[in-house]
Amino acid sequence: MGESKLDEFQDSPQLLDSRLRSLATLLLGAFAVYVKNHAHLRTGLDDDEADLLESLPRAVCKVLYTLCKIRGSKVISRFLSSHPAQFEPLLDAYELWDSQASLVWEERYVMILWLSHLVLTPFGLDGVSTSATKVDLLEPTFKAYPHLPILAHRLLFHGLHSIFSPSAEREVAALLLVRLSLRPDMQRLSLPESCIEWALSSLSDPQHLEKTSIIHRSIGLLSYLARFLASSDTTLASAFIARTFECIQALPDNSSHEAAKIISASAVARKLINKIYRLLAVTSMSMNNQGAELDILGAVVPHFLASTGDKDNRVRLSASKALSVIAQKLEAGMVEQLVDEITDQLNGNTGFDVLWEEESDSRMRLANVDPFHWHGLILTLAHLVYRRSASLGILWKVMKALLRALDFVQFSAMGRVTGSVVRDAACFGIWSLARNYGTRELLRVAGSKVCIRGIPFTSCIQVMANNLVIAATMDPEGNIRRGASAALQELVGRHPDTISGGIDLVQIVDYHAVGLESRARRDVALRAASVNAVYVHAVAQAMLSWRGVFSPDVTIRRQTASNIGTLAKEYGLPPLWGLKQYFDNAPVQSATDWHGLYLALARVIEVDKEAITYGSSIIVNVPGCSTHGTYHHVKKDGFLSHKDLDRSGKDAELAAEALCALVSALEKTAAGITSCSTFPWSKSFHIEVLEASLAHYESGNAMTLKSTAVSIAATLSFDDQSTLVTRWLNQITNDLNLGIQQDRLKHGRMDAVMSTMARLNFYKTSDIPTIASLERVLDSVFHVAERLLSKDSDVTSKYLTLKSLYLAFYIIRKLCESRRPHLPQPAFGNDHRIHIHTRHVEQAFLDCLDDHTTDAVRGDVGSLVRRAALEVASYISLSGQWDQTYRDKVQDRIEGLCVGKLDKMRDCAWNCYLAQRPAKNHQMPRFQSTCSIDYFHHMMRAGSQLPSRWYFIRGFISSAGSGDDTLMATVRKALINIPWDRGGPQVLFPYFHECVLAILKQELPDGRLAKAGLVFFAFLLDFDLEWCIGAWDYQTLNSLVLSIREVLRSPDLEVCRAVVAVYSGLARAEQWRKPLTSELQQILYHRYPQIRLAAAAGLWYVESDRRLLSLDLSRPRLDVKSDVLAMRESDRSEGPG
């Protein structure tokens, strides 16, 4: 099993446990056998071999280190042999390989870890080893004793050498030294005193070392001190407490000391210093010397509180853990003082009592606090409750701080939400509260003390559940949502019957259900609200916070506004509950904030309209504000107005969407109310806002602007509708005539035209002047279409124009079908009118059916134009007024799309194909899929009847040469199993050959169909080589081969493979074998090895040259080229035959 495969278990290391023993035992057994029997045979590998091979001990140690990295060295140590017989062979092998400089750090790590495990043997070291050779310790400050066993000398040497390594072997070297020095026989020889004295003196005076050596040496020494204090008992460690404390305390304080500056700059060193301080404090508290205890505590506790604001997460974690461990041994009064100090520091320099204010805008209050310091302090409180260090008297303070931290947020300069580490620590703290404190203990805390919002509560447990539901369903970070879900599950499980609908709530707010943010907001949050009314208020208030309408993510604001409407409609929430305070007090400042509020207000108004329409009983009588009263809010100073639309940029786009959403809601409400005389906004003002918003049309607000146009049009008379549409179309024409390039305004107006035309009340017309208005609208539409469907127009303009044409043809067709007596028959009596309008855009319409515009971001955006053109074509009868040539061109393009490579495009084209033949529709076969052999056989029969087959065959080639694997297989099977009946689709074969040549001439080297043409060409050569060769003359094929050669420079591997396939297919023909064999031999040293292998396979297929078997095509290109040139020179020297 490779290291990369094992690395995949880093996220879930416990999955390895079932196979860990067998795997580790196998590896360690092989390593032990090699060390015992073959250690002296190990030699270095050559450079060529080193790239492909690994020696057995190195390979085993790399895998073992990966297991230690994933599962932990303590777990792997359980599988290490502790037999003393392993001691000396392992140490001898280590020294031998180390002297040969053949060890890598993974081998050092595993072998020193094993040695540290063997040191635990209960036998004396002087009886384990038979060696009589001492080694120099190479440490001038280390005081060695002459009576140390030889084995101890050797272990000390390697431990002291490896403890200064920059790699992971430093940790196991410190472990080796600690275990060696704490052996009873070594303690009798005073080895611990020597090691501690050496470590402290080395830390105090590292001046002679380089900067890079100082940091690694210091980390190694600190690691040894930390392990020694953690492993030794109080009696042994007490002798070194004062000296160690003075040495460590002097490191960061000595700012003039260069080494101290380097050590203080290392996060790993600061973490180790925190660990040493914690161990010193705990040890001193276990002694009877109260004076020393107070001195150390008085120094380390402020240090830990300062370290909770460190920029590195590891340092903050070590400081918070240290404070919680120390608090376990402190009296309750001192712990309360510690908690008070933590809460004071949480307020920081805000100037407010952030934690204890009942209502506060967290974004304003917490904008100036340090999020790293908050994380460290909240993590400290979480560890306090995790170790149950917090007494019941101060539990409410801890709970209040954790709940406030669960709502912590800051916004970066780019508008992104930050502070997730604080919320993550809060989730851990609440989980610890639920786990380590009983129900009665928690219920002693009044819910009023910890409630941070106006959320209804009955107990502190219910308050925590409410806030966890909010975090689990609406937090933007996935780890916070899942952490809150886990904490909620713990809370419900540990404290049953104290949370409303607890079991149902846990099943809904599931750990996996909240993983996807869109699902958590759209589905889980609303389902959680349905459990109990208390969660309705909790979720609604969260929606009116930074997690909802004030989120910097526009998608979240839109989803939240929809959810607020759903809450008001389905869960009995008063529609204007919570919104009124924001519009009355205006606490928001930016367009981003107003955007979410306006969208929410619009959804609430729509809910009220539905209540009027269907007579549902919904509470709307909020004091001082009714549904009609909301109209006045948008007129106040400081709120959004149509003047905000005169600006440019993102704020103007958001203002356009917000105002149009509100206008749309007001219009929908007005449509359901009989008397509209009390409305302060006039219809003209609504239209003015819409027209100003159209200048900021973009994909995000397009649906809202379209909905607004539909809402306004629904309340207008037909004359007003036609006048409005005609005005917009004339404005577009004037801008085009004046050369004004405002694409957004043009797109917005065309989308508004399309939306308004869909609501034209032409069926209610009964007079000739109204029909004249409709005539003017249609004339304007076709006049604008003539300009916007040109080749120079952008894709969006073409798409919207074609949609408008579709509606125009729909109107004409419906009027023709109605045959009303008052309608002028020459105008709408037959297809003549459609032909008159369409003849101005005939060529542009053909171009739209073949629009293949691509975009670097969105890909084939021309498909939107093609589908819209097919919808238009479905309303145009291809008989009657059009000449036969034009009908054939349209039909060729439609059938070409019927056999194209895009599935949805084929479906749309097939529907258009059926709509063109209404009389024969009942005779047409019905296919379950447009990706079937029968379907393509039918289309091939239809294509064989076309006078012009250029686009049809192009579409067929695109499917057979560049579609997905299933489609290509289906199309090729349809071609191979073609029915050979009289007049059948086999007549297409000559056209296939002609079209392939034409496509390759036009598209090479990098055209859209270049790859498909080459792949299909290779398929035709495999399918019927003789026919292909007979269909093309030598000159044509020669020019094609020369043009294909340029394609080999393409970086696209698939295109290069297609070229090789074409060469291989043509080389099977006798007249082309020699020149194309030479071409394939040149490809043998192509820059891509995959193409070399394809060329070798093609040559073997053509002539079975056994010299190809000896070529190593994976070598560097120049080496392969020399071998190929030698092979070609040999062919020339042998001559023909």
Side-chain angles (χ1 to χ4, degrees):
M1 185 182 294
E3 300 164 63
S4 59
K5 290 292 183 182
L6 288 174
D7 283 333
E8 298 176 1
F9 290 90
Q10 293 245 31
D11 293 336
S12 302
Q14 69 277 1
L15 297 179
L16 278 176
D17 289 350
S18 60
R19 301 294 180 89
L20 192 59
R21 177 177 292 277
S22 59
L23 179 61
T25 304
L26 179 64
L27 293 171
L28 291 169
F31 186 80
V33 171
Y34 187 92
V35 165
K36 183 178 180 180
N37 301 325
H38 309 291
H40 62 286
L41 300 178
R42 176 174 178 175
T43 57
L45 298 173
D46 297 335
D47 294 338
D48 294 338
E49 295 176 335
D51 295 335
L52 302 174
L53 301 174
E54 290 273 18
S55 63
L56 176 65
R58 179 172 298 180
V60 169
C61 288
K62 285 186 175 182
V63 177
L64 286 172
Y65 170 73
T66 305
L67 291 175
C68 291
K69 178 178 64 174
I70 296 171
R71 206 63 188 96
S73 59
K74 291 182 180 180
V75 175
I76 304 302
S77 295
R78 295 184 307 201
F79 308 116
L80 297 174
S81 173
S82 58
H83 199 284
Q86 298 278 0
F87 214 138
E88 195 161 21
L90 183 64
L91 187 56
D92 290 340
Y94 184 88
E95 292 174 344
L96 175 62
W97 296 341
D98 191 33
S99 63
Q100 296 174 352
S102 59
L103 288 177
V104 296
W105 67 268
E106 290 95 344
E107 293 176 278
R108 294 180 186 273
Y109 179 92
V110 173
M111 296 181 77
I112 294 176
L113 178 64
W114 202 338
L115 288 172
S116 69
H117 185 69
L118 291 171
V119 165
L120 299 175
T121 179
F123 305 105
L125 295 183
D126 51 354
V128 173
S129 175
T130 60
S131 175
T133 305
K134 287 188 177 183
V135 294
D136 186 6
L137 296 180
L138 298 178
E139 279 294 323
T141 60
F142 193 91
K143 182 181 178 181
Y145 290 87
H147 301 296
L148 284 177
I150 300 301
L151 186 59
H153 266 281
R154 296 167 67 188
L155 292 173
L156 271 176
F157 172 79
H158 298 298
L160 295 176
H161 180 267
S162 298
I163 200 171
F164 304 135
S165 171
S167 63
E169 67 180 279
R170 174 179 61 221
E171 299 301 321
V172 291
L175 179 63
L176 173 64
L177 289 176
V178 169
R179 287 181 174 177
L180 179 63
S181 60
L182 291 180
R183 284 178 56 89
D185 52 351
M186 295 298 105
Q187 290 187 41
R188 288 192 293 269
L189 296 175
S190 302
L191 184 59
E193 289 81 354
S194 297
C195 290
I196 290 294
E197 186 62 32
W198 160 75
L200 295 178
S201 60
S202 299
L203 274 175
S204 302
D205 187 24
Q207 292 289 345
H208 61 283
L209 299 175
E210 298 178 358
K211 289 185 178 181
T212 54
S213 302
I214 288 175
I215 186 61
H216 299 306
R217 185 183 183 91
S218 301
I219 291 175
L221 294 171
L222 291 171
S223 179
Y224 168 75
L225 289 173
R227 283 188 178 274
F228 181 85
L229 292 171
S231 303
S232 60
D233 55 22
T234 304
T235 304
L236 180 61
S238 60
F240 312 109
I241 286 181
R243 175 83 170 89
T244 305
F245 179 71
E246 292 175 1
C247 178
I248 300 300
Q249 192 177 26
L251 287 179
D253 295 338
N254 192 357
S255 58
S256 61
H257 202 301
E258 184 66 23
K261 294 180 180 179
I262 297 174
I263 295 173
S264 299
S266 169
V268 178
R270 296 197 302 273
K271 171 191 171 184
L272 290 171
I273 289 174
N274 283 345
K275 184 176 182 180
I276 293 172
Y277 274 153
R278 170 173 60 85
L279 295 169
L280 289 172
V282 172
T283 304
S284 67
M285 295 171 71
S286 302
M287 298 164 53
N288 296 324
N289 190 347
Q290 189 173 5
E293 173 188 346
L294 294 177
D295 291 341
I296 293 178
L297 286 179
V300 299
V301 171
H303 172 80
F304 289 144
L305 288 173
S307 295
T308 55
D310 196 277
K311 300 300 181 184
D312 191 87
N313 185 56
R314 294 167 293 181
V315 181
R316 297 195 299 273
L317 181 59
S318 64
S320 62
K321 179 181 178 181
L323 285 171
S324 65
V325 171
I326 292 173
Q328 276 186 303
K329 299 181 178 295
L330 293 177
E331 297 177 356
M334 298 184 69
V335 176
E336 185 173 357
Q337 292 179 16
L338 177 61
V339 171
D340 289 339
E341 179 62 26
I342 291 174
T343 55
D344 289 342
Q345 292 194 18
L346 284 172
N347 289 323
N349 58 348
T350 59
F352 300 95
D353 203 356
V354 176
L355 293 181
W356 316 128
E357 286 184 340
E358 187 67 25
E359 294 290 338
S360 64
D361 185 355
S362 58
R363 292 185 297 170
M364 297 180 182
R365 300 290 192 261
L366 301 176
N368 297 323
V369 301
D370 184 3
F372 296 121
H373 200 191
W374 260 67
H375 174 238
L377 294 172
I378 294 298
L379 201 57
T380 302
L381 295 177
H383 277 289
L384 285 176
V385 295
Y386 178 72
R387 290 178 169 80
R388 201 178 164 82
S389 301
S391 62
L392 299 180
I394 61 172
L395 201 57
W396 71 274
K397 296 181 180 180
V398 176
M399 195 180 299
K400 180 88 171 187
L402 292 175
L403 291 176
R404 183 69 74 190
L406 192 60
D407 197 47
F408 181 89
V409 65
Q410 284 186 340
F411 294 90
S412 66
M414 301 299 294
R416 298 187 61 182
V417 174
T418 60
S420 60
V421 289
V422 180
R423 302 195 297 277
D424 185 58
C427 289
F428 170 59
I430 297 176
W431 177 87
S432 302
L433 267 175
R435 185 179 184 86
N436 296 316
Y437 290 86
T439 303
R440 292 184 179 179
E441 294 171 332
L442 292 179
L443 290 177
R444 289 175 60 182
V445 179
S448 58
K449 285 188 174 182
V450 299
C451 186
I452 63 170
R453 288 192 182 93
I455 301 174
F457 56 85
T458 56
S459 67
C460 65
I461 299 179
Q462 184 65 59
V463 171
M464 287 192 291
N466 293 347
N467 285 273
L468 288 174
V469 168
I470 292 171
T473 58
M474 302 188 66
D475 199 277
E477 299 293 335
N479 63 316
I480 308 301
R481 293 194 301 274
R482 287 184 164 172
S485 174
L488 179 65
Q489 183 177 3
E490 192 74 20
L491 190 67
V492 173
R494 297 275 180 175
H495 310 282
D497 302 326
T498 59
I499 299 174
S500 301
I503 301 300
D504 295 335
L505 192 65
V506 168
Q507 292 176 345
I508 293 172
V509 190
D510 179 67
Y511 180 85
H512 300 286
V514 299
L516 187 63
E517 183 180 7
S518 59
R519 180 186 176 189
R521 290 180 176 276
R522 181 186 64 251
D523 181 35
V524 180
L526 295 179
R527 289 176 59 200
S530 66
V531 173
N532 192 280
V534 68
Y535 303 118
V536 175
H537 292 270
V539 171
Q541 279 211 344
M543 288 179 179
L544 296 177
S545 68
W546 64 270
R547 287 189 173 105
V549 294
F550 296 120
S551 171
D553 190 335
V554 63
T555 305
I556 292 178
R557 296 198 297 271
R558 291 169 182 154
Q559 180 64 51
T560 301
S562 176
N563 287 350
I564 289 176
T566 304
L567 284 178
K569 177 182 177 182
E570 298 183 9
Y571 298 110
L573 184 73
L576 294 177
W577 179 81
L579 282 174
K580 182 178 180 296
Q581 60 175 328
Y582 291 99
F583 284 96
D584 287 342
N585 302 325
V588 291
Q589 300 175 354
S590 65
T592 301
D593 294 340
W594 282 122
H595 176 257
L597 284 173
Y598 272 58
L599 292 182
L601 180 61
R603 297 298 177 269
V604 168
I605 294 175
E606 290 178 2
V607 169
D608 184 66
K609 177 257 180 182
E610 293 179 3
I612 295 174
T613 304
Y614 300 104
S616 302
S617 176
I618 297 179
I619 302 175
V620 295
N621 295 321
V622 179
C625 182
S626 65
T627 305
H628 303 298
T630 57
Y631 285 64
H632 296 281
H633 288 298
V634 294
K635 301 289 286 183
K636 289 185 177 181
D637 294 335
F639 292 87
L640 291 180
S641 67
H642 67 286
K643 294 181 180 179
D644 293 281
L645 303 176
D646 297 335
R647 306 170 185 173
S648 59
K650 192 65 179 178
D651 285 351
E653 296 170 6
L654 297 177
E657 181 179 6
L659 286 172
C660 284
L662 188 56
V663 167
S664 176
L666 296 175
E667 288 291 337
K668 290 178 181 178
T669 305
I673 298 176
T674 306
S675 176
C676 301
S677 59
T678 59
F679 292 170
W681 272 5
S682 64
K683 186 73 64 177
S684 60
F685 184 70
H686 284 177
I687 296 175
E688 180 184 350
V689 171
L690 173 61
E691 290 182 335
S693 301
L694 294 178
H696 307 289
Y697 179 92
E698 50 98 22
S699 58
N701 60 22
M703 291 300 297
T704 303
L705 269 60
K706 183 186 300 186
S707 175
T708 306
V710 171
S711 300
I712 292 176
T715 58
L716 293 175
S717 64
F718 175 79
D719 291 337
D720 293 336
Q721 289 176 342
S722 59
T723 301
L724 187 60
V725 171
T726 305
R727 185 174 74 191
W728 285 336
L729 292 171
N730 292 337
Q731 289 172 348
I732 295 174
T733 303
N734 294 335
D735 289 347
L736 292 174
N737 293 334
L738 296 174
I740 299 175
Q741 297 296 329
Q742 293 184 356
D743 288 342
R744 286 192 174 190
L745 181 59
K746 178 176 61 178
H747 298 161
R749 285 171 176 166
M750 283 305 303
D751 206 352
V753 166
M754 179 183 67
S755 304
T756 307
M757 286 181 63
R759 298 303 299 261
L760 285 177
N761 300 320
F762 60 89
Y763 274 115
K764 299 179 181 179
T765 59
S766 58
D767 54 345
I768 299 302
T770 302
I771 297 301
S773 299
L774 184 59
E775 285 278 351
R776 288 193 295 271
V777 171
L778 297 177
D779 288 337
S780 300
V781 169
F782 284 100
H783 183 68
V784 170
E786 185 179 359
R787 303 286 299 274
L788 293 184
L789 291 181
S790 62
K791 290 185 177 181
D792 298 334
S793 295
D794 58 281
V795 169
T796 305
S797 297
K798 292 181 180 179
Y799 173 76
L800 295 174
T801 303
L802 287 169
K803 285 291 186 179
S804 300
L805 280 179
Y806 172 81
L807 291 172
F809 286 133
Y810 173 81
I811 293 172
I812 294 175
R813 179 67 64 188
K814 289 300 180 182
L815 288 173
C816 291
E817 291 173 356
S818 65
R819 299 287 183 178
R820 298 188 182 182
H822 61 272
L823 296 180
Q825 295 300 319
F828 295 104
N830 50 42
D831 291 335
H832 176 71
R833 186 63 181 174
I834 300 179
H835 173 66
I836 292 176
H837 285 304
T838 311
R839 65 184 180 183
H840 300 291
V841 293
E842 285 182 353
Q843 186 56 45
F845 182 66
L846 291 177
D847 295 336
C848 290
L849 285 171
D850 191 44
D851 191 305
H852 292 276
T853 306
T854 58
D855 183 82
V857 177
R858 296 184 293 167
D860 184 14
V861 293
S863 61
L864 298 173
V865 178
R866 299 197 299 275
R867 291 187 66 180
L870 287 172
E871 292 177 359
V872 174
S874 64
Y875 268 100
I876 300 177
S877 174
L878 293 180
S879 61
Q881 303 299 326
W882 282 271
D883 59 88
Q884 187 63 38
T885 304
Y886 183 75
R887 293 200 300 269
D888 293 340
K889 290 179 180 179
V890 174
Q891 196 62 35
D892 182 21
R893 286 164 172 79
I894 293 175
E895 295 189 17
L897 295 175
C898 285
V899 294
K901 67 177 183 179
L902 299 181
D903 295 340
K904 293 182 179 179
M905 190 63 64
R906 287 199 308 276
D907 295 339
C908 185
W910 173 247
N911 293 331
C912 180
Y913 179 85
L914 295 177
Q916 293 288 346
R917 296 159 176 78
K920 300 180 180 180
N921 206 348
H922 63 282
Q923 301 175 357
M924 290 290 179
R926 294 293 183 263
F927 302 104
Q928 294 182 349
S929 170
T930 57
C931 184
S932 63
I933 295 177
D934 293 337
Y935 171 79
F936 281 103
H937 278 167
H938 174 81
M939 293 311 304
M940 290 170 69
R941 291 179 184 277
S944 64
Q945 309 299 323
L946 290 173
S948 174
R949 306 181 179 95
W950 170 252
Y951 290 95
F952 173 78
I953 296 180
R954 282 169 65 95
F956 200 92
I957 290 174
S958 70
S959 296
S962 61
D964 60 81
D965 293 342
T966 303
L967 178 63
M968 285 196 296
T970 302
V971 175
R972 293 181 183 186
K973 286 180 183 178
L975 188 60
I976 292 174
N977 301 320
I978 193 170
W980 290 85
D981 53 347
R982 178 176 297 180
Q986 68 274 9
V987 300
L988 293 174
F989 268 46
Y991 296 98
F992 278 129
H993 296 86
E994 293 177 9
C995 191
V996 165
L997 286 179
I999 287 175
L1000 293 178
K1001 288 180 180 178
Q1002 291 181 6
E1003 303 287 343
L1004 291 177
D1006 54 359
R1008 183 179 63 86
L1009 287 177
K1011 173 185 173 182
L1014 287 170
V1015 172
F1016 188 72
F1017 188 17
F1019 165 72
L1020 288 179
L1021 293 174
D1022 287 339
F1023 176 53
D1024 198 333
L1025 177 64
E1026 294 183 1
W1027 193 334
C1028 294
I1029 298 300
W1032 300 318
D1033 58 83
Y1034 182 88
Q1035 190 67 27
T1036 301
L1037 282 176
N1038 186 51
S1039 62
L1040 178 62
V1041 169
L1042 293 177
S1043 61
I1044 289 177
R1045 184 184 299 169
E1046 299 296 322
V1047 182
L1048 288 171
R1049 300 177 182 177
S1050 170
D1052 191 339
L1053 291 178
E1054 294 298 326
V1055 173
C1056 295
R1057 283 197 185 97
V1059 172
V1060 173
V1062 169
Y1063 281 173
S1064 302
L1066 282 175
R1068 290 186 292 123
E1070 189 64 33
Q1071 63 269 37
W1072 287 98
R1073 180 166 301 171
K1074 184 175 180 179
L1076 291 183
T1077 300
S1078 176
E1079 293 286 343
L1080 288 172
Q1081 288 177 347
Q1082 293 183 34
I1083 302 175
L1084 287 176
Y1085 49 87
H1086 192 272
R1087 57 176 172 167
Y1088 295 132
Q1090 298 96 320
I1091 307 305
R1092 301 176 203 167
L1093 293 174
L1099 282 171
W1100 179 265
Y1101 182 65
V1102 171
E1103 53 185 18
S1104 301
D1105 190 347
R1106 300 192 64 84
R1107 292 177 298 175
L1108 295 171
L1109 300 177
S1110 62
L1111 280 178
D1112 185 4
L1113 299 177
S1114 63
R1115 292 186 300 158
R1117 182 183 181 186
L1118 294 179
D1119 296 342
V1120 178
K1121 182 177 181 180
S1122 61
D1123 293 346
V1124 173
L1125 292 179
M1127 186 175 68
R1128 298 182 67 182
E1129 185 64 28
S1130 174
D1131 290 341
R1132 282 195 293 267
S1133 63
E1134 293 177 2

